[in-house]
Structures are given as structure tokens and as C-alpha cells.
Amino acid sequence: MLPLDTSPKVSDEIRKTTCYMCACRCGIDVHLTGGRVSYIEGNRDHPVNRGVLCAKGSAGIMQHTSPARLRAPMKRTGPRGSGQFEEITWDEALDLAASWLRPIRETAPEKLAFFTGRDQSQSFTGWWAQQYGTPNYAAHGGFCSVNMAAAGIYTMGGAFWEFGSPDWERTRLFMIFGVAEDHDSNPIKMGLGRLKACGAKIIGVNPVRTGYNAIADEWLAITPGTDGLFILSLVHVLMGAGKVDLDYLMRYTNAAHLIDQDPRSATYGLFLRDKDGRELVWDREKRRAVPWDTQGVRPAMSGTVNLGATHAKPVFQLMADAYLDPAHAPEAVADATGIPAATIRRIAAELAHTAFEEEITLDRPWTDFRGERHETMTGRPVSFHAMRGISAHSNGFQTCRALHLLQIILGSVETPGGFRFKPPYPKPVAAHPKPHHKVTPGYPLDGPHLGYPRGPEDLALDAGGNPKRIDKAFTWEAPLSAHGLMHMVISNASAGDPYRIDTLFLYMANMAWNSSMNTSQVMDMLTATDEAGDYVIPHIIYSDAYSSETVAFADLILPDTTYLERHDCISLLDRPICEPDALSDAIRWPVVDPERPGHEGVRGFQSALLDLGVRLGLPGMVDDAGEAVFSDYADYMTNHQRRPGVGPLAGWRGADGEGKGRGDPNPDQIARYIENGGFWTDHIPEEATFFKPWNAAYQDWAVERGLFDAPQPYLFQLYVEPLAKFQAAASGIGPHQPPEHLRAQLAVAMSPLPVWYPPLSDARIDLEDYPLHALTQRPAAMYHSWGGQNAWLRQLHGTNPLYVPSNIWRDHGFTEGDWAHLTSPHGRITVPVALMEALNPDTVWTWNAIGKRAGAWALDPDAPEATKGFLLNHLIHELLPPKGDGLRWNNSDPVTGQAAWYDLRVRIEKAPPRTRGAPVIAAQTSPVERGPKNVAYDAR
Ligand code: SF4
């Protein structure tokens, strides 16, 4: 009998790099056989995934070998949208791009709109755009989850995903809102496994029971867009029962800070301050207003205080006034939310019980920023996580704020058992830049594009009040649009509103398909011509690794590599991969050569962008002699310094490689990363691991590591003053005034305390005509998988039915195999339907980004993705239905500009039998050959 080999050798070499099959960025071991990728497994030493690999990660081999890979730079030869191209050399391609970009830089740099998709190098692409001088740069956050990010930063200096995570080891009650799968994919799965193993309770709040909700102990089928109402009702019950952590609120938040309540005052609605600008609280013992950080102060949390000409209330009193109102009682919100009043009260009781009766105390002494020594760390084992389900609504910013307020009143942020920040967070608004938008032809922009406005004076408006940015970010329409409004770029550029542009430059954003609302019309906008027959957007440059739908609409293609063929930098300057106990960053490096035999070949986009920068002579990319400063992106990763001693990579800095976070560039740095498995990690000292915003040891450690340059302790902002400034402006106070038509909207949306209001589009349509909510979610197997053409993954999700709850299924007499017309105020699609019981009764939904345009992705034109797969995007307009005032109203959150994908309302009707969905978009010509029926190679 032959001996059984239980561990056969599967490769002759292993190279360790970072997965890019989603935003989680796990460490992977790439096995090579004869120089070819033969197997991918998880890196057991990696701080993110500790060896865990998901289905997407292992399917990376199919992404790397995809027949849809581009092979050479291409210039359009047929009409835009046709997909007809000729291959050209890299020199020709970059010279052509430079010939378009050079003249507009000298005259009107804003005529370049440079937007990137789920780019993981935003600190680099943003710097490039800044050096070019255009104000028109952002990545995809505006159509993803900027509400979550901005609400978190303004409230507590961080949010979910890269910003922080639950204390998986100690949490006893975990609530997850609006999440099927998430950026932090494998750590969440590992964390949920841990919670299950130790008997903690998981409550899923989601209209659809998929993904993580499937393993929740309790599932609340909330009505879309009402999460804020539910959360504020929990706050109502908790505050009414006195179940709030008053000591925590007094020490670490602005709950006691006094707010001017005199409407005649110039500082109405703002903090009361002394002559030195210090915010005031009312000292109960001394019976006078004193600066909030006065030693030994005993601040009042309630009541009204009279102070000379004005009167004021502490923030906590304003919260009581707002949230104890009967309008927030469970009985008042039960119908709208779809959650029974008794359930809301029970969950509030469970939160209170776990937070206050199951308190955790760790024997870890620490010292706070006031110098007070604490012998223990006390925490409340309740934690939360949330994602796009609560943020992609036009009331999403305030809903995310409400969730943070709930976390804070329970005292469960940065305490054992609660939510924990991951470095470089926490990071308050004060530590972030303001938006920059000063354009000087021929010169760089005056600073980073994206930031956090402190008030109306920071808006990106010219002297006449006109938007400076093509997406109208940082205007009265979306004052705090910290990630820009990518979904408005093509629409505004096509409408010439606020101005026409010359070149649209996109990277990793499939805007002609699933990355835009209103897909069909966006394709028209990209091909629209003016009276002279010229394209309204004269030039479109696009970089993608694959033959996606958007490739067909570009004039010039800069082909990117796959993630196994490139250098990349998962940087602390960008979207970090840290854990609450450790600082980490990582690289990608070419574990295989980017070969495209018989063709010009591909280049990592960042290296191509640097080359383009050199051709344009951009400052920082060329020296005084006009020579390239960086030979490629790897050189930039090693030698670029954002601040002296602080660069893209934090590990092994300095000539001796001993520097952590700070130090001179080290020419061996990338080699050290490769030697270490592709990542660097540094553990936070134990005394610094909790209470980070107020913990002196954490603040000092963070300064040592270069996260910031001086300690920056701060208080959580239950009441957000920048919002109050905009609200005051809406009521006519202050030198910066909004246009009349936006005053009412701003007065509600810019509330400095979290509020709930119905999704904005509800007021523009007859809800009886459109009684259902319609949602999309990314499947776990394809969440952020750039390329649903992946030969393995498409076997899991080759089509996407519209899931219909049983009541609607029955009412319409649907049976398996049926089709339905789904109609929104904007359009109609015809789609296959499927029954789903675990679904809110007023909601239909489908998986996102499965549907493909025929001819794209090297798929057979009759592939199920093209015939039965569909996008809800066709039903969602980037503008609200017209109001009759001639104005273009964004279908976005009025605070941040976040695309309000999930406000969609529809009606459903049974459709006659058919084999193909509608609309049918004509096939595009593919610049690559169709993939073979079977992809196979011998990897032994
Ligand atoms: S696809 Fe995402 S979760 Fe899966 S292994 Fe890769 S990075 Fe990790």
C-alpha cells in the first residue's frame, strides 16, 4: 500500500504579500510553481487575518489569470462607447495624456477632474492631484459611506471599519446595523466566531437577513431609512431610566458644556466661551461659569443658567429636552420602524443591563490627560458596528451620529468590552485638515483637497458663491462632504454645472456601470456631444486592470497590473490595517512579473501616474533639472516624506532600520517588509490600550510613532459646534449665508444634536405609487471583489434575482422562475424574482454588481450576468425628482453629499414570461478576446 502523503508539496516557492480581493487587506502566502501562481493561502503571522482566508482571497488566482486583463495602453479609434481601440506604446499614451493636461494646468487646472474608485493609495493620488493644482479630486467615499466616516470623526474622532472595532474578547452584547459584509471582513468573521464561542449575544438590525445577520441571535427586520428613529428611541428609554454613564459623560465628552440659548445673541447655539476662547461649564459648587478643564470643577449637567445678557444650557440638558420628548417613545416609532415598542424597550433594557450590571474592570493603571492616575480600567461590554445600510440614506449622517451618541451615553467607547479605536485613530476634527480649493494656474493647490470644515467660512465657494469643485463638494448643498461627491461628477460635467471640464481622469471606478447611479443615462452623458458635434467632456482617461464597462467610454486607457504584479503601500497615511492593540502597515510587491506576451504590457497605475507627473513637470515629482525624483512607485514608497521623518511606510525607518513610525528613508525598507512577510507591526504599550483619546501614555506613544506631532487629547462631541454654525447661518446669523432655497433643509439637517427626518425623496413622490423599499447588498463572496468575472466566484453568483418577501410574493401570485417589472420614479427594469422569508415585508432587494454589460469582462455575450443579472442602479437617479423650481436637487445626504442609494422606492408587477431581463444595453466591443470556455493550466 502506498503511504498517504497528508501534506503534499503544492509549490516550489512561497511569496508573501497582501490580498486585494477586497478592502480587508489580509496577508497571503502566494505559492508559485515554475514561476506561476498555483495556490493562495492565508498568512498565519499576519495581524489582520492570522491565516484566515476567505473564498474571495483564494479565488485571487483567477483574478490574476483572468482573460479580461488588459495588455497594453490603448487609444480610442471608434466612437466613444463602442469599445474600439488601437494598442499604443506607453510613451505614446503618457505623451498624449500630457498633451491634454499640460495646457489646462497653465490656464485652468480645475478643468481636470481626477477621481478614483476604491483606490488604496489615496494619500498618493491626492498628493498628485494637489501638485497638479486641480481642486477636483476625490475617491469613492462619497458614494460609499462618507456619512459613517464624517459622523464618526465629528462626534468622536473615528468611526467603524478602519477606524476601530469592537473589543471582541470582552463584548457581551453586540449590535450590528446595516451590514451584510464589510471592509474588515475576516476580522469581523473571526470576532463573531469568538462572540459565539463565549455566549455573547448578537443582535442584527437589517431589513435583510443575510451575511452576518444570518448568525445573529436576534434579527430586527427594520424598515429602511428608520434606523435613526429606532436608535433615538433606545436613547429615549435609556435616558428616561437614568441608564447613562454620567461620570464618563462628564469626564470625556462635552455633555456639560454650556450652549448659548439666546436667539438674539451672535453666538446663539454655540458654546459659551471665556475671553480666551475656552469653553465654559457651570460649576455647581462655585455657582459660576468656569472653563471646562478647571481643576476640581463639578460641572452641572442640567438646568438653565443665566449669565448676564444671555442664558445657556448644558448639552446634556438639551439632549434631555430633545430625546425625552414623547415623539421618541417606542410606541411613537414602532409603526415607522417596523419594530414593536416592547422589543425596543427590551433591547434598551438589555443594553442597560449589560453595560451597567456586567461592568468589566481590568487591573491596568493609567494616567489621563489631566494628570489624574487611575488604578484600573473600567468598561461596559456593549459594542456596535454599522455600515452602508444606515449611512446610504439622505438622513444617514444624522443616523450615524445617533448611533455614536448611543455608544457614548453607555460609556462604551474606548473602554474594555466596548468599541475600540485602531491607530492612527482616534483623531478629532482638529487634527484633520480643512478642505483646500485655492487654484493658481501653473502651481499646486494650496493644500489637501479633502478635509473637515469647521464652519461656513471653510466652504469651497468663490466670491460670487459659486461652487469651486465640479462635484459641488463643500458647498451649501453638502457642507461637510469630506470625501467629495464622485456620483455627481459626470452628471455635473455633462450639464456644465457649475462649469465645463476638459479631461475626466478615472481610476478603478466603473462609472459607466455599477459605480454610478442612473447607469443608462451616465453612459449617455459620457458620449454626449455639443452643438458643434464635439464631446461635452472632451477627454476621458481611464485606468483599469480589466476590460470593464467603463473601458469602452475612455479615449485613452492606461492598463493597470493585477494585485500580484505590483507595488502597493497599505499606509498609515491612508486606510490603515491596524488593530486596537497594534500599529501595522503592509506592502504589495510583484510576486509575479506583469507579463503580457506580444503586447506593450501593463504598469502599476501609481508608477504610470508618477511618469505622467514627470512629463508634466509637477513639483515634488521632478527636481530642479526636470529629472524624475522617483523612478517608480516603489521608490516613492521608500523615499517620499509627507513630513520630515514620516513617509508612506512606518516600519524599519532610518539608516539603521530601527525607526518605528519616524526616521529617515531607508533604502532597504521594502526588502525588510518582504523579509517579514509583507507587513510591519508594533504593539501599543498595555497602559495605553484603552481610553486612547484621554490616555497620556497613548498620546505620548502616538507622538513617538509619528501619528501626530504633539499630544492631542480631546472630548467627544455630543453637540457638534460646526453643525450649529451652519444651522445658525440657515436662520440668518453670520456673514456667510446660504441660498434661500436651501435654508429650510440646512436648518433640519445641520442639527448639532442627532435628529431623524424622513428620507428626502419621500417628499417628492407619491408613496402610494411606490410602496416598497429597494436595496442592494454585496455578496460576501464578491464584497469589494473587483471583477465579478472571476471564474470561481461567478459560479457562486452568476445571476442575481430580486428577492421578494412572502407577503408580496403571495399578493402578486409569483411562482419560481417568474419575472417582474420593477418601477421607480425614474425608470423600469424587468428582472427575475425569488422568494425570501427573512426580509422586511415592505422591502425587495438584490445582490449588487452581478449584472454585466454584454461584451465586457471577456465574458460570453450570453453569459447569465448579461442576460439575467441586473443592476438596480438603472432605477436610481443622482438627482431627486424635479420640484418645479428649475433647480437640480442632489439625491444625497444634505450634510455630507453621500449618495442616497437606499432611499429608493419602487412598485412591483408580475411580468410575462421571458428569458432575458430589461433594459438590454447594446453589447460593447471588447478590446480583449473572449475568455475560453475552460481556463486551465498545469500548476504542478
Ligand atoms: S478577499 Fe478580503 S477578506 Fe478575503 S482574504 Fe482577501 S482581503 Fe481578506
Side-chain angles (χ1 to χ4, degrees):
M1 198 164 69
L2 286 171
L4 185 65
D5 182 0
T6 54
S7 300
K9 193 165 173 293
V10 295
S11 60
D12 42 44
E13 187 181 359
I14 297 173
R15 295 186 170 184
K16 292 169 185 283
T17 184
T18 306
C19 186
Y20 205 169
M21 291 294 288
C22 84
C24 186
R25 296 159 293 172
C26 299
I28 49 172
D29 292 356
V30 180
H31 291 252
L32 302 175
T33 306
R36 304 183 76 178
V37 181
S38 53
Y39 176 54
I40 297 174
E41 66 177 335
N43 178 349
R44 289 169 195 232
D45 301 320
H46 200 276
V48 170
N49 57 318
R50 292 178 216 134
V52 173
L53 193 75
C54 76
K56 300 179 298 254
S58 58
I61 187 170
M62 290 293 130
Q63 207 75 0
H64 171 65
T65 53
S66 167
R69 286 178 310 171
L70 299 174
R71 304 167 302 201
M74 296 186 297
K75 191 168 81 171
R76 178 172 59 79
T77 53
R80 197 184 275 172
S82 66
Q84 294 160 11
F85 290 95
E86 65 177 1
E87 294 193 356
I88 56 177
T89 65
W90 272 101
D91 265 339
E92 288 170 321
L94 294 174
D95 281 345
L96 183 60
S99 74
W100 295 341
L101 298 180
R102 193 176 294 112
I104 55 175
R105 182 169 192 264
E106 295 305 319
T107 53
E110 69 276 11
K111 289 192 174 295
L112 166 64
F114 179 34
F115 283 77
T116 70
R118 296 177 190 87
D119 170 15
Q120 292 181 5
S121 58
Q122 290 166 33
S123 70
F124 167 73
T125 52
W127 175 72
W128 190 96
Q130 191 182 319
Q131 300 310 95
Y132 180 88
T134 178
N136 292 320
Y137 165 83
H140 85 298
F143 65 68
C144 182
S145 285
V146 64
N147 273 337
M148 191 74 74
I153 292 290
Y154 276 102
T155 307
M156 56 185 203
F160 301 107
W161 347 296
E162 288 92 341
F163 299 86
S165 73
D167 182 354
W168 296 114
E169 280 178 40
R170 302 176 186 84
T171 284
R172 303 294 307 156
L173 176 56
F174 175 61
M175 288 187 79
I176 186 162
F177 286 77
V179 189
E181 166 69 304
D182 203 352
H183 289 195
D184 212 12
S185 181
N186 276 338
I188 290 180
K189 288 173 210 145
M190 291 149 65
L192 291 174
R194 187 185 286 263
L195 297 190
K196 281 283 178 190
C198 70
K201 180 170 181 180
I202 300 170
I203 302 175
V205 185
N206 197 319
V208 187
R209 188 166 194 175
T210 54
Y212 306 139
N213 301 282
I215 59 151
D217 299 286
E218 181 170 3
W219 168 59
L220 303 178
I222 195 164
T223 300
T226 66
D227 302 76
L229 206 50
F230 168 57
I231 294 165
L232 292 177
S233 191
L234 293 174
V235 171
H236 170 95
V237 178
L238 289 165
M239 287 187 73
K243 293 293 184 185
V244 296
D245 190 336
L246 279 179
D247 185 55
Y248 182 94
L249 293 178
M250 248 186 287
R251 284 177 182 275
Y252 306 130
T253 78
N254 64 10
H257 291 214
L258 293 170
I259 304 296
D260 189 338
Q261 294 295 287
D262 184 350
R264 296 160 304 171
S265 165
T267 58
Y268 174 57
L270 307 184
F271 292 120
L272 280 189
R273 291 182 167 85
D274 68 7
K275 61 179 178 12
D276 297 321
R278 293 177 300 179
E279 293 161 28
L280 298 174
V281 298
W282 183 254
D283 191 317
R284 282 182 282 152
E285 289 183 352
K286 297 196 178 104
R287 302 200 57 73
R288 61 186 169 87
V290 298
W292 67 274
D293 53 355
T294 304
Q295 278 291 335
V297 65
R298 307 252 308 147
M301 298 281 277
S302 61
T304 302
V305 295
N306 293 309
L307 291 155
T310 191
H311 59 282
K313 288 182 180 181
V315 166
F316 192 70
Q317 178 64 56
L318 296 176
M319 288 168 54
D321 295 347
Y323 305 131
L324 293 179
D325 188 287
H328 290 295
E331 292 71 18
V333 306
D335 283 350
T337 59
I339 303 176
T343 304
I344 299 173
R345 289 192 183 280
R346 175 177 51 77
I347 288 174
E350 287 180 30
L351 288 170
H353 179 87
T354 311
F356 300 108
E357 309 303 321
E358 297 184 29
E359 183 178 281
I360 294 175
T361 299
L362 301 183
D363 202 12
R364 285 190 202 175
W366 66 288
T367 302
D368 70 27
F369 68 101
R370 296 179 173 96
E372 192 179 334
R373 176 95 175 149
H374 305 261
E375 292 309 319
T376 58
M377 291 180 169
T378 298
R380 316 215 169 272
V382 172
S383 62
F384 300 84
H385 185 79
M387 195 20 194
R388 192 175 308 155
I390 69 167
S391 69
H393 289 285
S394 52
N395 58 19
F397 174 83
Q398 290 288 0
T399 295
C400 297
R401 283 259 298 134
L403 183 55
H404 295 316
L405 180 128
L406 173 62
Q407 292 175 278
I408 293 168
I409 65 170
L410 288 167
S412 68
V413 181
E414 262 305 317
T415 59
F419 172 81
R420 305 183 64 197
F421 289 114
K422 301 173 180 178
Y425 300 94
K427 204 169 159 189
V429 166
H432 289 269
K434 296 177 179 178
H436 290 78
H437 36 78
K438 186 166 181 288
V439 171
T440 309
Y443 290 90
L445 202 70
D446 60 335
H449 302 81
L450 304 175
Y452 291 83
R454 295 4 177 208
E457 66 281 7
D458 294 330
L459 292 179
L461 300 170
D462 67 16
N466 303 306
K468 286 189 172 180
R469 291 177 53 112
I470 188 68
D471 59 356
K472 302 191 188 178
F474 308 114
T475 67
W476 293 102
E477 289 184 24
L480 309 184
S481 40
H483 292 178
L485 284 81
M486 189 165 180
H487 57 293
M488 295 308 300
V489 172
I490 294 170
S491 175
N492 290 354
S494 162
D497 175 19
Y499 47 77
R500 297 272 290 264
I501 62 167
D502 177 85
T503 301
L504 176 65
F505 189 177
L506 298 172
Y507 170 53
M508 265 187 98
N510 196 4
M511 298 304 290
W513 201 248
N514 55 292
S515 293
S516 60
M517 294 169 153
N518 192 9
T519 303
S520 304
Q521 284 187 11
V522 164
M523 291 190 281
D524 292 342
M525 292 172 198
L526 290 170
T527 53
T529 52
D530 59 19
E531 316 76 48
D534 298 322
Y535 287 121
V536 172
I537 302 174
H539 303 118
I540 300 179
I541 306 173
Y542 182 47
S543 178
D544 199 322
Y546 302 96
S547 175
S548 68
E549 286 84 357
T550 299
V551 163
F553 293 87
D555 305 313
L556 175 64
I557 296 291
L558 304 178
D560 198 5
T561 64
T562 73
Y563 71 104
L564 298 179
E565 300 166 320
R566 60 186 296 119
H567 277 103
D568 254 331
C569 180
I570 294 93
S571 171
L572 293 171
L573 303 179
D574 233 309
R575 310 195 67 153
I577 51 161
C578 304
E579 289 298 311
D581 288 324
L583 191 66
S584 303
D585 63 9
I587 63 162
R588 290 189 193 93
W589 58 289
V591 296
V592 280
D593 291 331
E595 290 171 353
R596 303 290 184 274
H599 298 272
E600 172 77 1
V602 298
R603 285 194 197 172
F605 174 68
Q606 291 76 6
S607 290
L609 199 57
L610 277 170
D611 191 336
L612 180 57
V614 172
R615 287 167 204 252
L616 292 167
L618 299 186
M621 289 169 234
V622 290
D623 60 19
D624 292 344
E627 297 299 319
V629 172
F630 307 110
S631 57
D632 58 13
Y633 191 48
D635 192 12
Y636 166 93
M637 284 159 56
T638 307
N639 290 308
H640 173 75
Q641 294 189 69
R642 197 49 63 95
R643 312 195 305 281
V646 176
L649 291 171
W652 296 288
R653 296 196 67 83
D656 58 2
E658 296 298 313
K660 298 176 177 180
R662 292 184 187 270
D664 291 337
N666 170 9
D668 293 330
Q669 192 179 31
I670 288 180
R672 298 292 297 272
Y673 273 82
I674 293 173
E675 211 176 282
N676 194 54
F679 66 93
W680 171 81
T681 197
D682 178 40
H683 287 271
I684 300 173
E686 195 174 82
E687 62 174 324
T689 46
F690 290 97
F691 300 94
K692 293 185 185 109
W694 321 290
N695 186 323
Y698 175 78
Q699 295 288 321
D700 291 344
W701 175 86
V703 171
E704 272 174 32
R705 294 295 183 266
L707 303 185
F708 27 86
D709 291 332
Q712 51 179 27
Y714 64 95
L715 300 180
F716 286 167
Q717 304 292 295
L718 295 167
Y719 190 95
V720 174
E721 193 177 51
L723 289 167
K725 290 181 179 172
F726 282 100
Q727 199 180 45
S731 66
I733 297 173
H736 303 277
Q737 288 296 302
E740 288 306 315
H741 69 278
L742 291 171
R743 284 189 191 279
Q745 174 174 297
L746 288 161
V748 175
M750 303 305 282
S751 168
L753 285 176
V755 291
W756 182 85
Y757 52 86
L760 297 182
S761 60
D762 284 7
R764 299 284 185 94
I765 57 178
D766 183 345
L767 294 179
E768 287 190 11
D769 265 359
Y770 303 99
L772 302 177
H773 301 265
L775 304 175
T776 55
Q777 296 192 127
R778 289 264 192 186
M782 287 186 183
Y783 186 80
H784 278 179
S785 268
W786 296 286
Q789 92 286 6
N790 187 294
W792 288 352
L793 299 178
R794 63 187 289 255
Q795 294 177 44
L796 300 174
H797 294 284
T799 61
N800 55 314
L802 183 80
Y803 292 101
V804 176
S806 49
N807 52 315
I808 296 169
W809 186 266
R810 218 176 24 247
D811 292 350
H812 287 75
F814 285 125
T815 55
E816 204 177 326
D818 276 351
W819 292 73
H821 299 306
L822 198 67
T823 309
S824 77
H826 175 52
R828 187 172 97 163
I829 59 178
T830 306
V831 300
V833 289
L835 171 65
M836 181 170 178
E837 303 283 356
L839 181 54
N840 174 285
D842 299 319
T843 302
V844 293
W845 76 281
T846 192
W847 296 119
N848 190 25
I850 304 296
K852 304 271 181 283
R853 184 178 171 191
W857 300 102
L859 295 177
D860 186 311
D862 287 326
E865 288 89 341
T867 53
K868 289 187 170 174
F870 69 94
L871 300 178
L872 274 189
N873 308 42
H874 292 288
L875 298 182
I876 310 173
H877 205 292
E878 74 278 7
L879 301 176
L880 292 173
K883 207 175 177 182
D885 53 10
L887 297 170
R888 300 168 79 239
W889 292 81
N890 274 345
N891 184 12
S892 306
D893 185 291
V895 181
T896 64
Q898 150 112 47
W901 298 97
Y902 293 168
D903 285 357
L904 178 63
R905 301 294 294 245
V906 296
R907 66 168 173 268
I908 192 168
E909 300 146 89
K910 194 167 174 173
R914 53 200 293 148
T915 54
R916 202 177 181 115
V920 177
I921 310 283
Q924 65 190 64
T925 303
S926 174
V928 297
E929 294 82 36
R930 192 179 308 163
K933 194 94 182 137
N934 297 303
V935 179
Y937 64 82
D938 189 346
R940 281 170 298 169

